Amino acid sequence: MRDVASRALQVHGSLGVSNEMPFAGYVTQSFHMGLADGPTEVHKAALARQVLHDYEPSDDLFPTRHEPKLRDQARRKYADVLKRHGRLPA
């Protein structure tokens, strides 16, 4: 609501902030609606808990999906194939 009302206010320029258009009131109401629905940070924390529920933290300095780590794992796993095709790094 805030984004739409704010954009409408900007599109209408000075008329948007006048009492002839409802947009400034909508922007204010959007903050009230956000508070009535619950603090945004609480929603973010709850969503983060849900998203990260099945993940385990990495014991390493870098995350498990760190590209250099994945590349090294793949090189070790397929070293015989890479050697056979002359593709081992120097």
Side-chain angles (χ1 to χ4, degrees):
M1 180 177 179
R2 183 180 318 123
D3 292 344
V4 172
S6 177
R7 182 68 179 134
L9 186 146
Q10 292 172 18
V11 166
H12 287 81
S14 60
L15 181 63
V17 294
S18 73
N19 61 357
E20 296 177 20
M21 300 299 282
F23 307 128
Y26 290 164
V27 171
T28 302
Q29 288 175 13
S30 72
F31 285 101
H32 295 166
M33 294 298 289
L35 293 172
D37 183 42
T40 301
E41 295 305 317
V42 172
H43 290 301
K44 288 180 183 178
L47 180 61
R49 263 190 241 100
Q50 289 175 1
V51 169
L52 298 174
H53 181 265
D54 294 328
Y55 287 88
E56 293 292 328
S58 174
D59 293 332
D60 195 6
L61 175 65
F62 294 101
T64 55
R65 302 299 302 168
H66 188 235
E67 289 292 326
K69 180 190 284 189
L70 294 175
R71 190 171 27 253
D72 289 341
Q73 289 171 357
R75 283 185 180 140
R76 281 193 301 276
K77 182 176 181 178
Y78 297 107
D80 59 328
V81 175
L82 293 170
K83 185 176 180 181
R84 197 171 344 130
H85 293 280
R87 304 293 281 176
L88 273 177

